[in-house]
Amino acid sequence: MDRKDCIFCRIADRDIPSPLLYDDEYVCAFRDLNPKAPTHILIIPKKHVASLAELEEEDFELVARIARVAKQLAEEEGIAEKGYRLLSNCRADAGQEVPHLHFHLLGGRRLSDIC
Ligand code: AMP
């Protein structure tokens, strides 16, 4: 996919302005437009990978990087102690809307209604 046709590539490329809570060579993070919890952050690889199902061997390191960023952001957001959820919807049955791999970092309330 052309990076111009992917909304999350465009955010990563700073083509669409969205304040970044985290930014390095491989990963960035920004707030979800439609928050489902007091803290709802999306963490993405800058490389275009459509979903978990499209990860290639050389991409798995990106998932570890994302887990590290999630831990850091949870601490910065003050949700680490009470707990949080990190999840990625993969393809249609999971309700994936944006076809660029992303992890939702959710916290700040009880999340029992989200499986
Ligand atoms: P998913 O259903 O896992 O694909 O989630 C996609 C998420 O991206 C939804 O929670 C949307 O609210 C969010 N979203 C879509 N476009 C944007 C955007 N431009 N900036 C921030 N969040 C977005």
Side-chain angles (χ1 to χ4, degrees):
M1 179 188 279
D2 192 307
R3 293 186 70 81
K4 295 272 175 219
D5 297 327
C6 171
I7 187 139
F8 287 178
C9 285
R10 293 184 65 193
I11 290 173
D13 294 346
R14 314 305 296 131
D15 212 17
I16 295 179
S18 179
L20 298 183
L21 304 180
Y22 181 88
D23 186 27
D24 70 21
E25 191 182 345
Y26 303 99
V27 172
C28 66
F30 47 91
R31 293 200 192 275
D32 195 290
L33 264 188
N34 233 322
K36 311 263 185 331
T39 292
H40 188 172
I41 295 169
L42 300 176
I43 310 172
I44 67 167
K46 290 189 170 179
K47 176 179 177 181
H48 183 83
V49 177
S51 78
L52 289 170
E54 279 77 18
L55 284 165
E56 306 275 2
E57 201 52 46
E58 71 267 20
D59 300 325
F60 286 106
E61 188 190 320
L62 294 171
V63 179
R65 288 180 181 276
I66 286 168
R68 189 181 298 123
V69 172
K71 180 182 178 196
Q72 181 184 317
L73 288 173
E75 286 164 4
E76 288 173 11
E77 290 283 307
I79 59 171
E81 198 174 322
K82 287 192 102 175
Y84 56 91
R85 186 167 291 157
L86 183 64
L87 69 89
S88 185
N89 295 317
C90 178
R91 296 187 170 169
D93 273 3
Q96 184 180 3
E97 289 169 11
V98 178
H100 179 124
L101 178 63
H102 52 281
F103 284 77
H104 299 256
L105 173 63
L106 295 146
R109 69 166 173 84
R110 291 285 294 186
L111 296 168
S112 48
D113 60 328
I114 304 172
C115 68

